[in-house]
Amino acid sequence: MNDTGTTDAVTEAFFALHQDLPRQGPGSDATTRRLLEMAGPLPEHPRVLDAGCGPGRSALLLAEEAGAHVTAVDLHQPFLDGLAAEAARRGLGDQVAVVNCSMDRLAVPDHSFDLIWAEGSVYSIGFDNALRTWRRLLAPGGVLVVTEIEWTVPDPAAAVSAYWDSVYPLRTRAANTDAARAAGYGVHAHWPLPENDWWDEYYTPLTQRLARADPRRPGMPEALAAHRAEIDMRREHGSDYRYAAYILRPHPHPTAENGTMTSWTARPETADDIPAVRAILLAAFPTAAETDIVDALRADPQAWIDGLSMVTTAPDSTPVGYALLTRCHVGGQPALALAPCAVLPSAQRAGAGSAAIRTALSAAQAMGENLVVVLGHPEYYPRFGFTPASRFGIRAPFDVSDEAMMAMALDDTRPVPAGTIQYPAPFGV
């Protein structure tokens, strides 16, 4: 058999091993729902590109639960046939269209999609290529949700480094973030997939399939060896790498006042930013109370956490927005309070506040924080993933409407404490 024939046999064996598995990579319906929530408000019937859809678990959920019209793209026709049949069975045939093509070669007009979804598939064309290729496809205000494998440690074990260098070279979160920004996106959220996403619907059923495979089939020995090496690598060195989701929005953002385009950058505050932060707070609130609280929090070592005070800057580097996370407690356990959040009146309703909040939440997650509470507008904060705190058994130390006191877990695989919120002393409650 020539090299081409050998390659074809291995590919066919690969697909045989994956046929009818629940998933073709790490993930879960719970993660899909979480990422959909993190993507923020979408149009009533969003136009969605599911790039590298596989058998279509995400496509079906997006159509069924988000009312989306989904263009599902993959190169393996049996996956597409199965997805089309299942969509028809569920009464979603008018909402799911399947297309056999490479996901970086989709022949559609610019701005065709409100949401581009790539869950566990971007490795096939490369993260950077995907970002470049898909940017033109997003409509104004559109969002890209993509999961990517990345290093979690600066010096991974030699064996795991050699393995991934030969299969799909990995980068760190910082390098992927830089790549996204260089491609013209703002990084609005970063969320590591829980470990059970690797096993429950992917590696565990795949391992069972490997045990039943016929090693005499052409190409099967090579396919079995490759899969077993990947699974063994996860068992032995899983702490060195992970799948993580990136929620990306292309720059520039439209402003509300004049339709011109503005690119926001959110970053931790520096000492030089303090006067500008005071000016933002004084312009955004009717009194100096919030300004005084922030100054008092900076002086409180029990409350202040370096790196969680975020400013949003305009293209000329002028600070225009602000968001702060400080240490609070819930039921005696550490948590974070989001407050205050503010934007200069001239930059309001243009994404500057959202940029500061999302960057603060992403930084907190990277620090290993989990529970965040906020008292705020119930039509605004859910876009970041907040829900009524009462669902967690959390209550405010004062009277407040249930929908205004909200909380979120940055990692929903970890337990969340219940009880009364204890705010830092500067809040005066």
Side-chain angles (χ1 to χ4, degrees), residues 135 138-144 183-186 188 248-254 262:
R135 192 173 187 274
L138 283 169
V143 59
L144 168 59
Y185 296 84
H188 286 261
L248 307 175
R249 293 182 183 275
H251 290 316
H253 298 298
T262 303

Side-chain angles (χ1 to χ4, degrees), residues 341-367:
C341 303
V343 177
L344 288 177
S346 61
Q348 290 177 358
R349 301 185 182 278
S354 293
I357 293 169
R358 294 185 191 278
T359 303
L361 293 173
S362 180
Q365 185 180 54
M367 292 180 182

